[in-house]
Amino acid sequence: MTRPRITVVGSVNLDLVVSTERLPEPGETLMGGSFSSHPGGKGANQALAACRLGAEVSLIAKVGRDANAEEALALLKRDGVNLSGVGVSPDQPTGVALINVAADGENQIVVAPGANAVLRPEDLPERIEGALVGQHEVPLDTLAEAVARCNGFVSLNLAPAMDTADAVLKRSDLVIVNKTEADFYGRQALLAVGGRVAITLGAEGAILFADGVEIARAAPPKVDVVDATGAGDTFTAALTVALLENQPADQALRFACAAGALAATRAGAQPALPLRHAVDALV
Ligand code: RIB
């Protein structure tokens, strides 16, 4: 089978993670457990996840001229994601995400975007051949321009939730949101856009709609959840790869749910992204 060709336009972060028994309340200070840092960022996670699932992936992104950039890009480089489209900002630092992971695997994330916020339309290639995967951790006008320059399948993970141009939504072949994001956009409004829309429901799995009609529903396999960071990014990458491989809708959704579930079984976003054979074995 020819490998799907995907360009990801998105964020690169260094994730700074502290584990705690539970997530803190507003204004509360909690004593945490161990500290760790991992490569992250929704764009980078989706790029690496798609690569580990068998796609040929290029990443268009921006990092700072600092040591965090090296750490943030290390696994992408090691696994063979094409990083020739990753620029370096002379004056902005590499994006950083402060992440708190509770014992049940739930997390809280705050992102300081740094160089991600200065990824401009000028940084994009003239044309994006093949499929495009995007999210909302880079400026929305840059994302809109990437969508306009893409001649193939457009997959958008509308996270974090923020207003997206109608033209961008209409051009998308696949839109992916979680429960909270679906509430923000309004489920009916999303479904009215047409094309395929996937809504993830955490432990309850996911639903896939086509032109407003439910076409598949899948539950994830039972796994021991350690850290849910990156599970949604893995789902996005896996569903995109499966649909590009022309897998039938229900099989593609089961594949994406299994990939997302596996990503939650290990600590950290990128260290936990599953390899293709592990997902196939679980499906
Ligand atoms: O989706 C998880 C990602 O969100 C983390 O890796 C973090 O960097 C934030 O961008």
Side-chain angles (χ1 to χ4, degrees), residues 11 13 15 39-42 45 97 99 109 111 137 229-230 233 269:
S11 55
N13 293 332
D15 290 353
K42 292 185 194 305
N45 296 346
I99 304 185
I109 304 181
V111 176
E137 283 186 338
T229 312
D233 300 328

Side-chain angles (χ1 to χ4, degrees), residues 62-257:
K62 198 160 269 186
V63 295
R65 196 181 292 288
D66 51 30
N68 283 354
E70 217 171 293
E71 191 176 346
L73 296 172
L75 295 182
L76 293 155
K77 207 177 280 177
R78 189 195 72 185
D79 284 22
V81 172
N82 179 345
L83 300 180
S84 58
V86 177
V88 178
S89 164
D91 48 16
Q92 292 295 320
T94 298
V96 165
L98 302 181
I99 304 185
N100 182 199
V101 180
D104 63 1
E106 273 305 318
N107 62 28
Q108 268 175 348
I109 304 181
V110 181
V111 176
N116 295 305
V118 292
L119 183 71
R120 303 301 313 147
E122 307 83 86
D123 299 315
L124 299 171
E126 277 302 298
R127 287 170 66 81
I128 295 179
E129 311 283 347
L132 168 71
V133 172
Q135 347 64 34
H136 284 173
E137 283 186 338
V138 294
L140 295 187
D141 60 334
T142 304
L143 182 63
E145 189 55 37
V147 168
R149 291 185 193 187
C150 176
N151 66 5
F153 188 90
V154 173
S155 172
L156 289 188
N157 174 212
L158 304 183
M162 51 183 82
D163 287 324
T164 314
D166 277 352
V168 170
L169 286 180
K170 287 212 169 76
R171 169 64 184 83
S172 305
D173 298 286
L174 172 65
V175 161
I176 296 152
V177 290
N178 66 19
K179 252 190 304 198
T180 317
E181 290 145 7
D183 289 345
F184 173 88
Y185 297 105
R187 185 187 276 227
Q188 290 318 319
L190 280 177
L191 297 185
V193 168
R196 274 166 282 193
V197 175
I199 302 181
T200 60
L201 307 168
E204 285 149 54
I207 313 175
L208 182 61
F209 299 86
D211 296 323
V213 177
E214 181 178 325
I215 55 164
R217 190 177 274 256
K222 292 259 172 295
V223 292
D224 290 329
V225 176
V226 172
D227 177 359
T229 312
D233 300 328
T234 308
F235 178 94
T236 294
L239 188 59
T240 305
V241 168
L243 293 176
L244 290 172
E245 289 175 351
N246 292 318
Q247 293 188 32
D250 56 343
Q251 187 182 317
L253 197 63
R254 277 202 307 278
F255 179 79
C257 283

